[in-house]
Amino acid sequence: MASRSMALSLIPWILVALLSLNLPLSDGDDEKQWCIADPQTTDEQLQGAMNWACGTGGVNCTKIQPGGECYDPNIVVDHASYVFNDYWQRFKNQGAYCYFNAVALNTGEDPSEQTHSPQKKSWLLQVRVSSMIPL
């Protein structure tokens, strides 16, 4: 009887231990995030942030150079989004933010499905243009 009451007294502690593991409640597909360039930022601001990321930040920017698989469309905001996301995905677990001096933002929509394809218009360009049209 004593062993049964002892086992029952351990149940709350076991539940607390399991809950403290902070396990994800889903498979994570709906929680994916990307770091993209803010489409309302100037090309000069984006270029400055890309220069840092491709230099000091350590991003390999060959994919956005002429002939690279993400060069087309040759639009600064698209190139910046590639660079910012590459940096953020690699370093977010070490405390990096999707900020880049206020020229980047997080999104739950995968920009690679919208950009880097010569057959498609740039999604980010469409956002930039639509944000300029008064309602």
Side-chain angles (χ1 to χ4, degrees):
M1 186 73 152
S3 64
R4 183 173 182 205
S5 67
M6 187 170 106
L8 289 174
S9 69
L10 290 176
I11 289 176
W13 293 107
I14 293 170
L15 289 174
V16 168
L18 289 174
L19 292 173
S20 69
L21 291 176
N22 198 19
L23 297 173
L25 299 176
S26 70
D27 61 5
D29 285 344
D30 57 340
E31 297 174 14
K32 290 184 180 178
Q33 290 283 301
W34 291 264
C35 181
I36 62 169
D38 182 341
Q40 297 182 25
T41 306
T42 68
D43 286 352
E44 292 77 23
Q45 291 170 307
L46 294 173
Q47 190 64 56
M50 279 196 300
N51 290 345
W52 177 86
C54 293
T56 305
V59 174
N60 180 350
C61 294
T62 57
K63 288 185 179 182
I64 60 167
Q65 300 301 316
E69 65 185 80
C70 294
Y71 179 73
D72 288 319
N74 182 15
I75 299 170
V76 174
V77 71
D78 288 349
H79 291 179
S81 291
Y82 169 82
V83 170
F84 297 166
N85 190 59
D86 183 75
Y87 177 86
W88 184 67
Q89 294 296 337
R90 288 191 303 144
F91 296 111
K92 66 183 178 183
N93 292 332
Q94 298 171 21
Y97 292 98
C98 177
Y99 183 71
F100 294 92
N101 206 22
V103 300
L105 51 90
N106 287 105
T107 182
E109 296 181 33
D110 183 354
S112 68
E113 294 178 6
Q114 309 296 328
T115 61
H116 309 312
S117 172
Q119 294 82 17
K120 297 179 184 177
K121 287 185 176 178
S122 167
W123 171 76
L124 291 171
L125 180 61
Q126 292 173 17
V127 170
R128 175 179 273 178
V129 170
S130 68
S131 68
M132 291 188 237
I133 299 171
L135 297 175

